[in-house]
Amino acid sequence: IVILFVIFLLACNFYGDLKLGSDFYYQTEPTFNNIVVPDNKKEPYSIQSIAIRNVELLGFNRKYILVTSKRNDSTLFWIIDKRKKTMELGYDTDSNIKLSNVNQIDSMKFYNLCTKEKIELKSKLFYQKEAGWN
């Protein structure tokens, strides 16, 4: 019983990470607040690479993940196409992993896609509260 309990504890996600599909996760913990991909798919909560930092708004469906993030005083708009294969392209100057299906887009395209795909954007505070952080 003790061994099963230890295995259960190791497999659990105590930080409230939200699985978004296609091996993408949202780290809801306020000090992290990132979109990540696991370096080892068999242990998704062990070591992760950051794809998008400082999430402000997040919404997703079976095809897309839409994210706004903050960098300094700027709002950035992101689309992750879950239908495309995720391929690593290197790292950017902020040490974020660059992936083939993660792209920065303009605000007009972002909000048009939100409307077209009926994706409801929710704030980081909503997800943090849902995970028990606030």
Side-chain angles (χ1 to χ4, degrees):
I1 293 175
V2 172
I3 292 172
L4 289 175
F5 181 71
V6 170
I7 291 171
F8 172 76
L9 289 177
L10 292 173
C12 283
N13 169 18
F14 291 105
Y15 296 103
D17 291 359
L18 177 64
K19 186 171 183 162
L20 303 172
S22 294
D23 295 322
F24 286 91
Y25 293 82
Y26 172 49
Q27 293 177 311
T28 60
E29 194 206 341
T31 57
F32 292 114
N33 189 36
N34 302 310
I35 302 294
V36 297
V37 291
D39 291 347
N40 180 351
K41 292 179 184 181
K42 292 181 181 179
E43 298 177 31
Y45 301 113
S46 59
I47 300 172
Q48 302 168 331
S49 294
I50 298 171
I52 302 171
R53 293 179 190 275
N54 302 318
V55 171
E56 291 294 318
L57 297 172
L58 168 67
F60 58 99
N61 64 14
R62 61 181 179 82
K63 294 192 279 187
Y64 301 106
I65 302 167
L66 298 177
V67 180
T68 68
S69 68
K70 285 285 191 189
R71 183 182 301 149
N72 301 323
D73 291 333
S74 299
T75 299
L76 306 175
F77 300 88
W78 302 90
I79 180 173
I80 301 172
D81 190 337
K82 298 192 298 186
R83 301 168 303 169
K84 294 181 179 177
K85 184 177 180 182
T86 303
M87 294 181 355
E88 186 176 326
L89 303 174
Y91 288 86
D92 67 14
T93 56
D94 295 327
S95 299
N96 298 328
I97 192 167
K98 290 165 72 176
L99 301 169
S100 59
N101 58 342
V102 178
N103 295 293
Q104 194 174 337
I105 59 175
D106 66 53
S107 61
M108 184 71 93
K109 184 175 181 181
F110 181 88
Y111 287 113
N112 285 340
L113 191 56
C114 267
T115 302
K116 179 182 172 193
E117 290 292 324
K118 298 178 179 145
I119 296 175
E120 180 183 1
L121 296 173
K122 296 178 182 173
S123 72
K124 66 182 178 185
L125 297 176
F126 172 86
Y127 288 111
Q128 289 167 359
K129 185 175 182 180
E130 193 174 68
W133 290 105
N134 290 330

Coordinates of all heavy atoms in Angstrom, one line a residue, residues 55-116:
V55 N 1.6 34.7 -18.9 CA 0.2 34.6 -19.5 C -0.7 35.6 -18.8 O -0.7 35.8 -17.6 CB -0.3 33.2 -19.3 CG1 -1.8 33.1 -19.7 CG2 0.6 32.2 -20.1
E56 N -1.5 36.3 -19.6 CA -2.6 37.2 -19.1 C -4.0 36.6 -19.4 O -4.8 36.5 -18.5 CB -2.5 38.5 -19.8 CG -1.2 39.3 -19.4 CD -1.3 39.7 -17.9 OE1 -2.3 40.1 -17.4 OE2 -0.2 39.6 -17.3
L57 N -4.2 36.2 -20.6 CA -5.5 35.6 -21.0 C -5.2 34.3 -21.7 O -4.2 34.1 -22.5 CB -6.3 36.5 -21.9 CG -6.8 37.8 -21.4 CD1 -7.4 38.7 -22.5 CD2 -7.7 37.6 -20.2
L58 N -6.1 33.3 -21.6 CA -5.9 32.0 -22.2 C -7.3 31.4 -22.6 O -8.2 31.5 -21.8 CB -5.2 31.0 -21.2 CG -5.2 29.6 -21.5 CD1 -4.3 29.3 -22.7 CD2 -4.7 28.8 -20.3
G59 N -7.4 30.8 -23.7 CA -8.6 30.1 -24.2 C -8.2 29.0 -25.1 O -7.1 29.2 -25.8
F60 N -8.9 28.0 -25.2 CA -8.6 26.9 -26.1 C -9.8 26.0 -26.5 O -10.8 26.1 -25.8 CB -7.5 26.0 -25.4 CG -7.9 25.4 -24.1 CD1 -8.3 24.1 -24.1 CD2 -7.8 26.1 -22.9 CE1 -8.6 23.5 -22.8 CE2 -8.1 25.6 -21.7 CZ -8.6 24.2 -21.7
N61 N -9.6 25.3 -27.6 CA -10.6 24.4 -28.0 C -9.8 23.2 -28.5 O -8.6 23.1 -28.3 CB -11.6 24.9 -29.0 CG -11.0 25.4 -30.3 OD1 -9.8 25.1 -30.6 ND2 -11.7 26.2 -31.1
R62 N -10.4 22.3 -29.3 CA -9.7 21.1 -29.8 C -8.7 21.4 -30.9 O -7.8 20.6 -31.1 CB -10.7 20.0 -30.2 CG -11.6 20.4 -31.4 CD -12.5 19.3 -31.8 NE -13.4 19.7 -32.9 CZ -13.0 19.7 -34.2 NH1 -11.8 19.3 -34.5 NH2 -13.8 20.1 -35.1
K63 N -8.8 22.6 -31.5 CA -7.9 23.0 -32.6 C -6.8 24.0 -32.2 O -5.7 23.9 -32.7 CB -8.6 23.5 -33.8 CG -9.5 22.5 -34.5 CD -10.1 23.1 -35.8 CE -11.2 24.0 -35.6 NZ -11.9 24.4 -36.8
Y64 N -7.1 24.9 -31.3 CA -6.2 26.0 -31.0 C -6.1 26.3 -29.6 O -7.0 26.1 -28.8 CB -6.7 27.3 -31.7 CG -6.8 27.2 -33.2 CD1 -8.1 27.2 -33.8 CD2 -5.7 27.2 -34.0 CE1 -8.2 27.1 -35.2 CE2 -5.9 27.2 -35.4 CZ -7.1 27.1 -36.0 OH -7.2 27.0 -37.3
I65 N -5.0 26.9 -29.2 CA -4.8 27.5 -27.9 C -4.5 29.0 -28.2 O -3.5 29.3 -29.0 CB -3.6 26.9 -27.1 CG1 -3.8 25.4 -26.9 CG2 -3.4 27.6 -25.8 CD1 -2.6 24.6 -26.5
L66 N -5.2 29.9 -27.6 CA -5.0 31.3 -27.8 C -4.5 31.9 -26.5 O -5.1 31.7 -25.5 CB -6.2 32.0 -28.4 CG -6.8 31.5 -29.7 CD1 -8.1 32.2 -30.1 CD2 -5.7 31.7 -30.8
V67 N -3.5 32.7 -26.6 CA -2.9 33.3 -25.4 C -2.5 34.7 -25.6 O -2.0 35.1 -26.7 CB -1.6 32.5 -25.0 CG1 -0.9 33.0 -23.8 CG2 -1.8 31.0 -24.9
T68 N -2.7 35.5 -24.6 CA -2.1 36.9 -24.6 C -1.1 36.8 -23.4 O -1.3 36.1 -22.4 CB -3.1 38.0 -24.3 OG1 -3.6 38.0 -23.0 CG2 -4.2 38.0 -25.4
S69 N 0.0 37.5 -23.6 CA 1.1 37.6 -22.6 C 1.6 39.0 -22.5 O 1.4 39.8 -23.4 CB 2.2 36.6 -22.9 OG 2.9 37.0 -24.1
K70 N 2.3 39.3 -21.5 CA 2.9 40.6 -21.3 C 4.5 40.5 -21.4 O 5.0 39.5 -20.8 CB 2.6 41.1 -19.9 CG 1.2 41.6 -19.7 CD 1.1 43.0 -20.4 CE -0.3 43.6 -20.1 NZ -0.5 44.7 -20.8
R71 N 5.0 41.4 -22.1 CA 6.5 41.6 -22.1 C 6.7 43.1 -21.9 O 6.3 43.8 -22.8 CB 7.1 41.1 -23.4 CG 8.6 41.2 -23.3 CD 9.3 40.7 -24.6 NE 9.1 39.4 -24.9 CZ 9.0 38.9 -26.1 NH1 9.2 39.7 -27.2 NH2 8.8 37.6 -26.4
N72 N 7.3 43.4 -20.8 CA 7.5 44.9 -20.4 C 6.1 45.5 -20.4 O 5.2 45.0 -19.7 CB 8.5 45.6 -21.3 CG 9.8 44.9 -21.3 OD1 10.3 44.4 -20.2 ND2 10.5 44.8 -22.4
D73 N 5.9 46.5 -21.2 CA 4.6 47.2 -21.3 C 3.7 46.7 -22.5 O 2.7 47.3 -22.7 CB 4.7 48.7 -21.3 CG 5.3 49.2 -20.0 OD1 5.1 48.6 -19.0 OD2 6.0 50.3 -20.0
S74 N 4.2 45.7 -23.2 CA 3.5 45.3 -24.4 C 2.7 44.1 -24.2 O 3.1 43.2 -23.4 CB 4.5 45.0 -25.5 OG 5.3 46.2 -25.8
T75 N 1.5 44.0 -24.9 CA 0.7 42.8 -24.9 C 1.1 42.0 -26.2 O 1.0 42.6 -27.3 CB -0.8 43.1 -24.9 OG1 -1.0 43.8 -23.6 CG2 -1.6 41.8 -24.9
L76 N 1.4 40.7 -26.0 CA 1.7 39.9 -27.2 C 0.5 38.9 -27.4 O -0.1 38.4 -26.4 CB 3.0 39.1 -27.0 CG 4.2 40.0 -26.6 CD1 5.4 39.1 -26.3 CD2 4.5 40.9 -27.8
F77 N 0.2 38.6 -28.6 CA -0.9 37.7 -29.0 C -0.3 36.4 -29.6 O 0.5 36.5 -30.6 CB -1.9 38.4 -29.9 CG -2.4 39.6 -29.3 CD1 -1.8 40.9 -29.4 CD2 -3.6 39.6 -28.6 CE1 -2.3 42.0 -28.8 CE2 -4.2 40.7 -28.0 CZ -3.5 41.9 -28.2
W78 N -0.7 35.3 -29.2 CA -0.2 34.0 -29.6 C -1.3 33.0 -30.0 O -2.3 33.0 -29.5 CB 0.6 33.3 -28.4 CG 1.7 34.1 -27.9 CD1 1.6 35.0 -26.8 CD2 3.0 34.2 -28.3 NE1 2.8 35.6 -26.6 CE2 3.7 35.1 -27.5 CE3 3.7 33.5 -29.3 CZ2 5.1 35.3 -27.6 CZ3 5.1 33.7 -29.4 CH2 5.8 34.6 -28.6
I79 N -0.9 32.2 -31.0 CA -1.7 31.1 -31.4 C -0.9 29.8 -31.4 O 0.3 29.8 -31.9 CB -2.4 31.3 -32.8 CG1 -3.2 30.1 -33.2 CG2 -1.3 31.6 -33.9 CD1 -4.0 30.3 -34.5
I80 N -1.5 28.8 -30.9 CA -0.8 27.5 -30.9 C -1.8 26.6 -31.7 O -3.0 26.4 -31.3 CB -0.6 26.9 -29.5 CG1 0.3 27.8 -28.7 CG2 0.0 25.5 -29.6 CD1 0.5 27.4 -27.2
D81 N -1.4 26.1 -32.8 CA -2.2 25.2 -33.6 C -2.0 23.8 -33.2 O -0.9 23.2 -33.5 CB -1.9 25.4 -35.1 CG -2.8 24.7 -36.0 OD1 -3.5 23.8 -35.6 OD2 -2.9 25.2 -37.2
K82 N -2.9 23.2 -32.5 CA -2.8 21.8 -32.0 C -2.9 20.8 -33.1 O -2.5 19.6 -32.8 CB -3.8 21.6 -30.9 CG -3.6 22.5 -29.7 CD -4.4 22.1 -28.5 CE -5.9 22.1 -28.6 NZ -6.6 21.8 -27.4
R83 N -3.3 21.2 -34.3 CA -3.5 20.2 -35.4 C -2.1 19.9 -36.0 O -2.0 18.9 -36.7 CB -4.5 20.7 -36.4 CG -5.9 21.0 -35.8 CD -6.7 21.7 -36.8 NE -6.1 23.0 -37.1 CZ -6.4 23.8 -38.0 NH1 -7.5 23.5 -38.8 NH2 -5.8 24.9 -38.3
K84 N -1.2 20.8 -35.8 CA 0.1 20.7 -36.5 C 1.1 20.0 -35.5 O 1.0 20.1 -34.3 CB 0.7 22.0 -36.8 CG -0.1 22.7 -37.9 CD 0.5 24.1 -38.3 CE -0.2 24.8 -39.4 NZ 0.3 26.1 -39.7
K85 N 2.0 19.3 -36.1 CA 3.0 18.6 -35.3 C 4.0 19.6 -34.6 O 4.4 20.6 -35.2 CB 3.9 17.6 -36.2 CG 4.9 16.8 -35.4 CD 5.6 15.9 -36.3 CE 6.6 15.1 -35.4 NZ 7.4 14.2 -36.2
T86 N 4.3 19.4 -33.3 CA 5.2 20.3 -32.6 C 6.6 19.9 -32.9 O 7.0 18.8 -32.5 CB 4.9 20.2 -31.1 OG1 3.5 20.5 -30.9 CG2 5.7 21.1 -30.3
M87 N 7.3 20.8 -33.5 CA 8.8 20.5 -33.7 C 9.6 21.7 -33.1 O 9.2 22.8 -33.2 CB 9.0 20.5 -35.2 CG 8.4 19.3 -35.9 SD 8.6 19.0 -37.6 CE 9.5 20.4 -38.2
E88 N 10.7 21.3 -32.4 CA 11.5 22.3 -31.8 C 12.4 23.0 -32.8 O 13.0 22.4 -33.6 CB 12.4 21.6 -30.7 CG 13.2 22.6 -29.9 CD 14.0 21.9 -28.8 OE1 13.5 20.8 -28.3 OE2 15.1 22.3 -28.5
L89 N 12.4 24.3 -32.7 CA 13.2 25.2 -33.7 C 14.3 25.9 -33.0 O 15.0 26.7 -33.6 CB 12.3 26.2 -34.3 CG 11.0 25.6 -35.1 CD1 10.2 26.7 -35.6 CD2 11.5 24.7 -36.2
G90 N 14.5 25.7 -31.7 CA 15.6 26.4 -31.0 C 15.0 27.2 -29.8 O 13.9 26.9 -29.3
Y91 N 15.7 28.2 -29.4 CA 15.3 29.1 -28.3 C 15.4 30.5 -28.7 O 16.3 30.9 -29.6 CB 16.2 28.8 -27.1 CG 15.9 27.5 -26.4 CD1 16.5 26.3 -26.9 CD2 14.9 27.4 -25.4 CE1 16.2 25.1 -26.3 CE2 14.6 26.2 -24.8 CZ 15.3 25.0 -25.3 OH 15.0 23.8 -24.7
D92 N 14.5 31.4 -28.2 CA 14.6 32.8 -28.5 C 15.5 33.5 -27.4 O 16.1 32.9 -26.5 CB 13.2 33.4 -28.6 CG 12.5 33.5 -27.3 OD1 13.1 33.3 -26.2 OD2 11.2 33.7 -27.3
T93 N 15.6 34.8 -27.5 CA 16.5 35.6 -26.6 C 16.0 35.6 -25.2 O 16.8 35.9 -24.3 CB 16.6 37.1 -27.1 OG1 15.3 37.6 -27.2 CG2 17.3 37.1 -28.4
D94 N 14.7 35.3 -24.9 CA 14.2 35.2 -23.5 C 14.2 33.8 -23.0 O 13.6 33.5 -22.0 CB 12.7 35.7 -23.5 CG 12.6 37.1 -23.8 OD1 13.5 37.9 -23.5 OD2 11.6 37.5 -24.5
S95 N 15.0 32.9 -23.7 CA 15.1 31.5 -23.3 C 13.8 30.7 -23.4 O 13.6 29.7 -22.7 CB 15.7 31.3 -21.9 OG 16.9 31.9 -21.8
N96 N 12.9 31.2 -24.2 CA 11.7 30.4 -24.5 C 12.0 29.5 -25.6 O 12.7 29.8 -26.6 CB 10.5 31.3 -24.9 CG 10.1 32.3 -23.9 OD1 10.2 32.0 -22.7 ND2 9.7 33.5 -24.3
I97 N 11.4 28.3 -25.6 CA 11.6 27.3 -26.7 C 10.7 27.8 -27.9 O 9.6 28.3 -27.7 CB 11.2 25.9 -26.3 CG1 11.6 24.9 -27.3 CG2 9.7 25.8 -26.0 CD1 11.6 23.5 -26.8
K98 N 11.3 27.8 -29.1 CA 10.6 28.1 -30.3 C 10.1 26.8 -30.9 O 10.8 25.9 -31.1 CB 11.5 28.8 -31.3 CG 11.9 30.2 -30.8 CD 13.1 30.8 -31.5 CE 12.8 31.3 -32.9 NZ 14.0 32.0 -33.5
L99 N 8.8 26.8 -31.1 CA 8.1 25.6 -31.7 C 7.4 25.9 -33.0 O 6.9 27.1 -33.2 CB 7.1 25.1 -30.6 CG 7.7 24.7 -29.3 CD1 6.6 24.4 -28.3 CD2 8.6 23.5 -29.4
S100 N 7.4 24.9 -33.8 CA 6.8 25.1 -35.2 C 5.3 25.5 -35.2 O 4.9 26.2 -36.1 CB 7.0 23.9 -36.0 OG 6.4 22.8 -35.4
N101 N 4.6 25.2 -34.2 CA 3.2 25.4 -34.1 C 2.8 26.5 -33.1 O 1.6 26.7 -32.8 CB 2.3 24.2 -33.9 CG 2.7 23.5 -32.6 OD1 3.8 23.7 -32.0 ND2 1.9 22.6 -32.2
V102 N 3.7 27.3 -32.7 CA 3.5 28.4 -31.7 C 3.9 29.7 -32.5 O 5.1 29.8 -32.8 CB 4.3 28.3 -30.4 CG1 4.0 29.5 -29.5 CG2 3.9 27.0 -29.7
N103 N 3.0 30.6 -32.7 CA 3.3 31.8 -33.5 C 2.7 33.0 -32.8 O 1.5 33.0 -32.4 CB 2.8 31.7 -34.9 CG 3.5 30.6 -35.7 OD1 4.7 30.7 -35.9 ND2 2.8 29.5 -36.0
Q104 N 3.4 34.1 -32.9 CA 2.9 35.4 -32.5 C 2.1 36.0 -33.6 O 2.5 35.9 -34.8 CB 4.1 36.3 -32.1 CG 3.6 37.5 -31.4 CD 4.9 38.3 -30.9 OE1 5.9 37.8 -30.8 NE2 4.6 39.6 -30.7
I105 N 0.9 36.5 -33.4 CA 0.1 37.1 -34.4 C -0.4 38.5 -34.0 O -0.2 38.9 -32.8 CB -1.2 36.2 -34.7 CG1 -2.0 36.0 -33.5 CG2 -0.7 34.9 -35.3 CD1 -3.3 35.2 -33.7
D106 N -1.0 39.2 -34.9 CA -1.5 40.6 -34.5 C -2.8 40.4 -33.8 O -3.5 39.4 -33.9 CB -1.6 41.5 -35.7 CG -2.6 41.1 -36.7 OD1 -3.8 40.9 -36.4 OD2 -2.2 41.0 -37.9
S107 N -3.2 41.5 -33.1 CA -4.4 41.5 -32.3 C -5.7 41.3 -33.1 O -6.6 40.6 -32.6 CB -4.5 42.8 -31.4 OG -4.6 43.9 -32.3
M108 N -5.8 41.8 -34.3 CA -7.0 41.7 -35.1 C -7.2 40.2 -35.5 O -8.3 39.7 -35.3 CB -6.9 42.6 -36.4 CG -8.1 42.5 -37.2 SD -9.4 43.4 -36.4 CE -9.2 45.0 -37.2
K109 N -6.1 39.6 -35.9 CA -6.2 38.1 -36.3 C -6.6 37.3 -35.0 O -7.4 36.4 -35.1 CB -4.9 37.7 -36.9 CG -5.0 36.2 -37.4 CD -3.7 35.8 -38.1 CE -3.8 34.4 -38.6 NZ -2.6 34.0 -39.3
F110 N -6.0 37.7 -33.9 CA -6.2 37.0 -32.7 C -7.7 37.0 -32.3 O -8.4 36.0 -32.0 CB -5.4 37.6 -31.6 CG -5.5 37.0 -30.2 CD1 -4.7 35.9 -29.9 CD2 -6.4 37.4 -29.3 CE1 -4.8 35.3 -28.6 CE2 -6.5 36.8 -28.0 CZ -5.7 35.8 -27.7
Y111 N -8.3 38.2 -32.2 CA -9.7 38.3 -31.8 C -10.7 37.8 -32.9 O -11.7 37.3 -32.5 CB -10.0 39.8 -31.4 CG -9.3 40.1 -30.1 CD1 -8.3 41.0 -30.0 CD2 -9.8 39.5 -28.9 CE1 -7.7 41.3 -28.7 CE2 -9.2 39.7 -27.7 CZ -8.1 40.6 -27.6 OH -7.6 40.9 -26.4
N112 N -10.3 37.9 -34.1 CA -11.1 37.3 -35.2 C -11.2 35.8 -35.0 O -12.3 35.2 -35.2 CB -10.7 37.7 -36.6 CG -11.0 39.1 -37.0 OD1 -11.9 39.7 -36.4 ND2 -10.3 39.6 -37.9
L113 N -10.1 35.2 -34.7 CA -10.0 33.7 -34.5 C -10.8 33.4 -33.2 O -11.5 32.3 -33.2 CB -8.6 33.3 -34.4 CG -8.3 31.8 -34.5 CD1 -8.9 31.2 -35.7 CD2 -6.8 31.5 -34.4
C114 N -10.7 34.2 -32.2 CA -11.5 33.9 -31.0 C -13.0 33.8 -31.3 O -13.7 33.0 -30.9 CB -11.3 35.1 -30.0 SG -10.0 34.8 -28.8
T115 N -13.4 34.8 -32.1 CA -14.8 34.9 -32.5 C -15.2 33.7 -33.4 O -16.2 33.0 -33.1 CB -15.1 36.2 -33.2 OG1 -14.8 37.3 -32.3 CG2 -16.6 36.3 -33.5
K116 N -14.4 33.5 -34.4 CA -14.7 32.4 -35.4 C -14.8 31.0 -34.7 O -15.6 30.2 -35.0 CB -13.7 32.4 -36.5 CG -13.9 31.4 -37.5 CD -12.8 31.4 -38.6 CE -12.9 30.2 -39.5 NZ -11.7 30.1 -40.3

